């Protein structure tokens, strides 16, 4: 057995053992180690050998399981019924390996899937399906790309993405035969470029030198490009190529490139090949590994992470269980997260959080940034937010001070409080926020004033609604003043998965 096959067997056995432990009710996996100021939450569990994920334009996350199911994560929950359950050959590294949404998904509801078709011999295919809500339209499958027959069970590639040019790019492994990577007579060990209907663009780089279906080849010399991704708003592409004995690679995806496999692996000075932008060696340290998997650029429309991360490329290693970041401008590589149970894919959510898919525990995990739980509170010794100030963190806004003082140095009457920070919702949807106060209150969420009753009054409940997305920390500010007599200040919410209650500490963040 080759070294590569021994490694494959080891990885599959490890994944099976981890999954079995979860199914048998073992203790849940420990949280990953993330930088100071970041936190992670395991938002979905119960996935069976997940392999890939993609985010729909409406924020739903579609998760592929190797054995042929696609699960939907929506509104903070993993839906019980699968979107798709298709027969696949899932031996070794075969199976359901890629998902992409049509650029015009909102109108046509087309979803593209890369999977291994059972047979003797089997082969990989890209098919188009039509969605109807959270399930596939029965009988809607249309095959747009059927690849060469397979012999080995490993090196299938499988990632698929639409580029900014509207073309579908398809990563294909060399099926454990290095010679496939250096020929234009088949599509194995290549990155392909096709139209959404499977036809081949005439401006492909090898259109005039290859023939037939091989004209779809866009780049060659790859071993097992399990994942790749585009920089949002740009044609720049990074390709992760899983190495054999020594190196794991991040390659600059450029039309017509030859990345050298099997002649070279890792950095090269051979002018015939494009050397990787970054390569890391094999091992079990915080900077080494043995199988580069997920990769995604951090460039959301609204960044949640600090600005130093914007534009970085996050990538993961399955074997050593870490996520690191590569800065394309400076070429500096930094550690980010570790202790992950078999990361296989990464994506950036609509709210700016980073999701990772952990095969070992069958989990979807979201990493977010914030300073801590609760809200920053400034207490003032008069009604107009001036004068003596006490600053602290309040874990919730749930106060009935009666005729007592709210804080040392602040009188029991004619005081004011300003709470600021962020709130994170558990599911996408419309949320109703309620204030219960004795005297004046104003409440802003995401800069929108949704409660405005800045008057003297007895205990009164006011409310306002706003639509919020999960995976992002929405700004929140509440101003309150007390005139005389009893003092009450409470902040509650209700939403798609939340009954009316005080907003808990776990959903509030200091900024």
């Amino acid at each position: 057995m080759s070294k590569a096959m021994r490694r494959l067997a080891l990885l599959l056995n490890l994944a099976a053992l981890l999954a079995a432990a979860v199914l048998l009710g073992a203790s849940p996996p420990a949280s990953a180690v993330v930088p100071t100021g970041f936190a992670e939450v395991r938002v979905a569990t119960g996935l069976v050998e997940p392999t890939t994920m993609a985010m729909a334009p409406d924020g739903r996350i579609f998760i592929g399981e190797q054995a042929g199911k696609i699960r939907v994560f929506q509104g903070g929950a993993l839906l019980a019924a699968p979107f798709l359950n298709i027969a696949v050959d899932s031996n070794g590294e075969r199976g359901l390996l890629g998902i992409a949404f049509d650029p015009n998904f909102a109108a046509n509801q087309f979803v593209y899937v890369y999977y291994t078709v059972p047979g003797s011999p089997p082969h990989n295919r890209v098919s188009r399906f039509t969605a109807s809500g959270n399930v596939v339209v029965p009988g809607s499958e249309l095959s747009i790309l059927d690849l060469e027959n397979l012999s080995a069970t490993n090196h299938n590639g499988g990632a698929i993405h639409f580029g900014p040019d509207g073309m579908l790019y398809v990563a294909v492994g060399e099926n454990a035969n290095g010679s496939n990577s250096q020929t234009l007579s088949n599509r194995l060990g290549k990155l392909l470029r096709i139209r959404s209907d499977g036809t081949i663009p005439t401006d492909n780089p090898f259109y005039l030198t290859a023939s037939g279906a091989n004209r779809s080849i866009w780049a060659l010399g790859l071993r097992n490009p399990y994942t790749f991704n585009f920089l949002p708003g740009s044609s720049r592409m990074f390709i992760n190529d899983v190495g054999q004995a020594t190196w794991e690679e991040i390659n600059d995806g450029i039309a017509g490139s030859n990345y050298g496999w099997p002649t070279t692996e890792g950095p090269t000075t051979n002018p015939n090949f494009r050397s990787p932008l970054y390569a890391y060696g094999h091992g079990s340290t915080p900077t080494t590994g043995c199988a580069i998997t997920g990769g995604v650029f951090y460039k959301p429309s609204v960044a949640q992470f600090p600005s130093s991360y914007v534009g970085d490329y996050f990538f993961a290693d399955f074997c050593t269980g870490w996520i690191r970041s590569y800065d394309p401008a400076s070429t500096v590589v930094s550690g980010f997260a570790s202790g992950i149970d078999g990361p296989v894919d990464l994506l950036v959510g609509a709210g700016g959080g980073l999701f990772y898919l952990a095969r070992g525990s069958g989990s979807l995990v979201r990493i977010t940034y914030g300073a801590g739980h609760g809200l920053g509170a400034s207490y003032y010794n008069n009604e107009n937010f001036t004068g003596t100030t006490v600053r602290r963190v309040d874990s919730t806004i749930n106060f009935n001070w009666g005729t007592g003082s709210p804080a040392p140095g602040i009188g029991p009457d004619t005081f004011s409080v300003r709470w600021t920070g962020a709130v994170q919702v558990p599911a996408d949807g419309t949320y109703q926020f309620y204030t219960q106060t004795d005297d004046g209150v104003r409440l802003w969420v995401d800069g929108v004033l949704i409660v405005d009753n800045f008057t003297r009054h007895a205990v009164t409940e006011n409310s306002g609604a706003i639509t919020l997305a999960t995976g992002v920390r929405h700004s929140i500010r509440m101003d309150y003043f007390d005139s005389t007599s009893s003092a009450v200040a409470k902040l509650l919410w209700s939403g798609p998965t939340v009954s009316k209650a005080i907003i808990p500490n776990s959903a509030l963040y200091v900024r």
Side-chain angles (χ1 to χ4, degrees):
M1 181 184 291
S2 70
K3 182 175 181 178
M5 291 299 289
R6 287 196 300 271
R7 184 180 67 180
L8 170 63
L10 174 63
L11 295 180
L12 292 173
N13 288 338
L14 172 62
L17 288 171
L18 289 168
V22 172
L23 293 172
L24 290 172
S27 298
S31 296
V33 178
V34 294
T36 301
F38 290 84
E40 71 160 48
V41 58
R42 206 167 291 269
V43 296
T45 58
L47 297 163
V48 180
E49 297 183 337
T51 52
T52 186
M53 60 180 170
M55 188 172 67
D58 58 16
R60 289 176 295 167
I61 297 177
F62 284 43
I63 304 168
E65 297 179 336
Q66 186 174 353
K69 289 183 181 179
I70 294 178
R71 308 288 302 279
V72 179
F73 178 77
Q74 181 184 32
L78 184 67
L79 304 187
F83 168 78
L84 175 69
N85 189 0
I86 191 170
V88 303
D89 180 339
S90 59
N91 289 305
E93 296 174 359
R94 299 171 182 167
L96 197 156
L97 303 173
I99 305 169
F101 293 91
D102 194 277
N104 198 27
F105 176 77
N108 59 34
Q109 296 292 293
F110 291 160
V111 182
Y112 300 78
V113 180
Y114 183 117
Y115 71 96
T116 309
V117 180
S120 298
H123 68 278
N124 289 315
R125 167 184 291 170
V126 177
S127 282
R128 190 189 79 194
F129 296 85
T130 303
S132 176
N134 289 319
V135 295
V136 72
V137 173
S140 66
E141 179 178 7
L142 174 67
S143 173
I144 65 166
L145 178 70
D146 281 283
L147 294 166
E148 286 79 3
N149 290 333
L150 300 172
S151 52
T153 61
N154 55 335
H155 302 185
N156 292 276
I160 53 176
H161 294 285
F162 278 92
D165 56 1
M167 301 298 170
L168 182 61
Y169 291 76
V170 182
V172 186
E174 36 82 297
N175 197 217
N177 183 347
S179 63
N180 286 328
S181 300
Q182 290 298 321
T183 178
L184 294 177
S185 64
N186 68 53
R187 294 164 292 175
L188 303 177
K190 317 294 194 308
L191 198 78
L192 313 180
R193 177 176 179 261
I194 58 176
R195 297 189 181 95
S196 60
D197 62 0
T199 58
I200 301 172
T202 57
D203 61 347
N204 273 2
F206 301 105
Y207 192 86
L208 298 178
T209 50
S211 61
N214 299 317
R215 290 174 166 172
S216 63
I217 296 170
W218 188 79
L220 71 159
L222 295 164
R223 182 175 179 269
N224 187 23
Y226 184 69
T227 50
F228 70 96
N229 231 313
F230 285 95
L231 173 66
S234 166
S235 60
R236 189 162 202 194
M237 173 205 295
F238 282 3
I239 306 168
N240 295 340
D241 199 15
V242 180
Q244 183 180 47
T246 309
W247 296 101
E248 302 297 303
E249 299 179 359
I250 298 175
N251 291 288
D252 208 1
I254 297 175
S257 294
N258 186 331
Y259 298 101
W261 177 257
T263 306
T264 67
E265 180 186 75
T268 180
T269 57
N270 189 324
N272 296 316
F273 306 123
R274 185 174 295 281
S275 190
L277 291 169
Y278 175 71
Y280 64 90
H282 283 193
S284 56
T285 73
T287 60
T288 59
C290 79
I292 188 170
T293 47
V296 68
F297 288 93
Y298 188 78
K299 195 178 178 183
S301 56
V302 177
Q304 182 191 106
F305 287 10
S307 59
S308 59
Y309 288 98
V310 175
D312 281 7
Y313 183 71
F314 286 93
F315 60 100
D317 189 89
F318 182 90
C319 307
T320 41
W322 48 246
I323 297 172
R324 308 191 77 209
S325 65
Y326 171 82
D327 183 342
S330 66
T331 71
V332 171
V333 177
S334 305
F336 182 71
S338 60
I340 301 170
D341 38 8
V344 289
D345 208 358
L346 304 174
L347 65 77
V348 175
L354 178 69
F355 287 84
Y356 68 79
L357 189 60
R359 180 180 172 93
S361 63
S363 302
L364 177 65
V365 183
R366 181 175 62 236
I367 298 176
T368 53
Y369 178 77
H373 292 302
L375 294 175
S378 296
Y379 288 75
Y380 302 88
N381 206 28
N382 58 51
E383 297 179 20
N384 60 2
F385 306 95
T386 62
T388 303
T389 305
V390 174
R391 290 187 174 88
R392 70 188 193 195
V393 174
D394 287 339
S395 61
T396 62
I397 303 179
N398 184 21
F399 299 104
N400 186 346
W401 292 292
T403 57
S405 168
I410 304 296
D413 292 314
T414 62
F415 67 87
S416 54
V417 191
R418 175 168 291 156
W419 290 277
T420 59
V423 62
Q424 185 164 310
V425 300
D428 296 339
T430 300
Y431 284 78
Q432 195 82 14
F433 288 81
Y434 310 85
T435 59
Q436 295 176 358
T437 63
D438 164 47
D439 292 329
V441 64
R442 289 191 178 113
L443 178 69
W444 294 261
V445 179
D446 271 352
V448 178
L449 181 63
I450 63 173
V451 171
D452 186 7
N453 187 5
F454 220 58
T455 65
R456 292 174 173 83
H457 54 255
V459 176
T460 302
E461 180 174 277
N462 297 277
S463 67
I466 188 170
T467 300
L468 301 175
T470 188
V472 62
R473 292 176 185 171
H474 303 273
S475 65
I476 188 167
R477 169 182 157 186
M478 178 170 159
D479 285 0
Y480 163 77
F481 79 83
D482 173 66
S483 181
T484 59
S485 188
S486 295
V488 174
K490 299 185 179 186
L491 179 60
L492 306 86
W493 68 353
S494 64
T497 61
V498 177
S499 299
K500 185 178 178 181
I502 295 292
I503 301 180
N505 167 262
S506 60
L508 299 172
Y509 294 86
V510 179
R511 281 185 165 175

